[in-house]
Amino acid sequence: MPYAIVVVPVAPLRATAAHRSEMISQLLWGEGVEIVNTAPDGWVEVVNQYDGYTGWASLSHLEEVSEEIYQAPATHYLPEWNNEILLNGQPMIVPFGCLLKGYTNLSAKWGNTQVTLLEKPHILPAAGTPVKTKHLLADAMKFLNTAYLWGGRNVFGVDCSGFVQNVFKLSGIPLLRDASQQATQGTTVDFLQEARLGDLAFFDNPEGRITHVGLLLDDHQIIHSSGKVRIDPIDNQGIINADTHVRTHQLRIIKRFF
C-alpha cells in the first residue's frame, strides 16, 4: 500500500469519506500514514503511523512518499506554540510539537514537497530516554486554556487523550489515541497519595467505560482538557471543578509510564 506524509498544519481524520462526517481524530503536519483504501472525490482511508488510528483523510492533505521516508524515524519536533516554515517556498504556520522526518540542515524532502525551516527544531528524545519532568510540565503548560475539541490533537484545539498523547510524545513516550486505549498502558499506581508528576489518571462514566484522562501534577492537582485545558483539584473520588466546585469526573485508575 502507498505511504504518505501530512503536509498541511492539521488534517481532520473522519469516520467516513465525507467532509460532513464526524472528525474522530486529527493528523498533524509531518506524521506518516499508510493508505489502505480509496474512495471517490479524493478520499483515502489511512492508518496513522504514530498511534495506529484509522480514518478517512483528504488526499490533498498528503504527499505520497517512498517506504524509506515513511519508515525513517522522527528525530526532531517544532518547539514553539506556532512555527513558521516554508513548504515548497511558500509560508506555513505549523503548531507546537509536530514531528519531523528526514531532517538535515534546516530542511527535509518528502516526495515532491520541500520543507525549509526558519529556526532550528528541538531533538526528539529517543524511546527509553529518562524523562525530564520539568520539560514535561513545561510542554503540558503550553496547552493551558486551549479549547476542548472532540478529536483534537494540537494546541489550537485538543481533546483529553490528544492532550496527554502530545505531551508524552515530546518526552519520547508513545501513547495510544483514546483514553480507554491509554489506560491499558503503563503500570498501576494503587493510591492517589502515591501519585507523582507525570502519572495519568483515568475516569469512567456511569456505565464503567473509561472516557477521560488527565495528567497529574501531584496527588491533589490535575491538568486536563475539559471545556478547555485547565488545572483542577482531585481527590480519591475524582476531579472537582475549581471554578464551580462541582465534581465532574469519577476516578477509576492511575497509571505510571516512567
Side-chain angles (χ1 to χ4, degrees), residues 147-217:
Y148 178 89
L149 176 65
W150 178 268
R153 293 179 66 226
N154 73 96
V155 289
F156 299 108
V158 71
D159 64 21
C160 64
S161 53
F163 164 61
V164 297
Q165 185 192 55
N166 269 277
V167 172
F168 272 51
K169 173 182 73 178
L170 302 182
S171 289
I173 302 175
L175 292 182
L176 297 173
R177 177 62 182 93
D178 293 337
S180 59
Q181 298 172 321
Q182 294 168 356
T184 66
Q185 301 176 265
T187 59
T188 301
V189 177
D190 293 326
F191 301 102
L192 178 63
Q193 289 71 23
E194 298 173 350
R196 64 191 189 200
L197 172 60
D199 290 342
L200 295 184
F202 296 89
F203 306 84
D204 57 14
N205 63 11
E207 290 73 42
R209 187 169 67 89
I210 290 175
T211 57
H212 191 66
V213 60
L215 173 65
L216 287 166
L217 302 178

Side-chain angles (χ1 to χ4, degrees), residues 98-253:
C98 286
L99 301 181
L100 189 60
K101 290 172 175 280
Y103 169 75
T104 178
N105 194 27
L106 291 180
S107 67
K109 182 72 171 176
W110 301 335
N112 294 319
T113 295
Q114 177 67 45
V115 175
T116 304
L117 303 188
L118 304 182
E119 301 287 343
K120 286 187 177 181
H122 285 192
I123 297 173
L124 184 70
T129 302
V131 173
K132 297 179 179 179
T133 53
K134 68 176 183 179
H135 291 167
L136 182 138
L137 177 60
D139 291 337
M141 295 302 286
K142 282 192 175 182
F143 284 83
L144 196 62
N145 290 310
T146 293
Y148 178 89
L149 176 65
W150 178 268
R153 293 179 66 226
N154 73 96
V155 289
F156 299 108
V158 71
D159 64 21
C160 64
S161 53
F163 164 61
V164 297
Q165 185 192 55
N166 269 277
V167 172
F168 272 51
K169 173 182 73 178
L170 302 182
S171 289
I173 302 175
L175 292 182
L176 297 173
R177 177 62 182 93
D178 293 337
S180 59
Q181 298 172 321
Q182 294 168 356
T184 66
Q185 301 176 265
T187 59
T188 301
V189 177
D190 293 326
F191 301 102
L192 178 63
Q193 289 71 23
E194 298 173 350
R196 64 191 189 200
L197 172 60
D199 290 342
L200 295 184
F202 296 89
F203 306 84
D204 57 14
N205 63 11
E207 290 73 42
R209 187 169 67 89
I210 290 175
T211 57
H212 191 66
V213 60
L215 173 65
L216 287 166
L217 302 178
D218 47 39
D219 64 355
H220 60 276
Q221 282 190 307
I222 188 169
I223 181 169
H224 64 130
S225 184
S226 178
K228 62 180 181 180
V229 178
R230 54 182 294 121
I231 297 174
D232 284 318
I234 182 173
D235 61 20
N236 288 323
Q237 295 183 58
I239 297 173
I240 301 168
N241 185 289
D243 300 322
T244 66
H245 308 294
V246 173
R247 188 173 300 281
T248 58
H249 297 86
Q250 182 70 36
L251 180 62
R252 170 73 172 274
I253 193 171

Side-chain angles (χ1 to χ4, degrees), residues 58-117:
S58 173
L59 190 58
S60 63
H61 297 163
L62 310 173
E63 173 70 50
E64 289 197 35
V65 297
S66 67
E67 183 175 1
E68 180 182 5
I69 294 175
Y70 173 81
Q71 296 292 355
T75 56
H76 295 73
Y77 70 92
L78 302 186
E80 303 303 327
W81 206 78
N82 56 340
N83 304 266
E84 185 175 358
I85 67 164
L86 299 178
L87 199 78
N88 293 330
Q90 296 183 333
M92 175 182 287
I93 301 297
V94 179
F96 169 64
C98 286
L99 301 181
L100 189 60
K101 290 172 175 280
Y103 169 75
T104 178
N105 194 27
L106 291 180
S107 67
K109 182 72 171 176
W110 301 335
N112 294 319
T113 295
Q114 177 67 45
V115 175
T116 304
L117 303 188

Side-chain angles (χ1 to χ4, degrees), residues 7-45:
V7 291
V8 295
V10 180
L13 190 66
R14 300 196 179 277
T16 62
H19 287 293
R20 60 177 161 292
S21 176
E22 175 191 8
M23 187 179 77
I24 56 174
S25 189
Q26 292 176 330
L27 304 172
L28 303 182
W29 181 89
E31 286 188 325
V33 298
E34 183 177 3
I35 298 172
V36 296
N37 199 3
T38 61
D41 300 323
W43 288 95
V44 287
E45 188 178 21

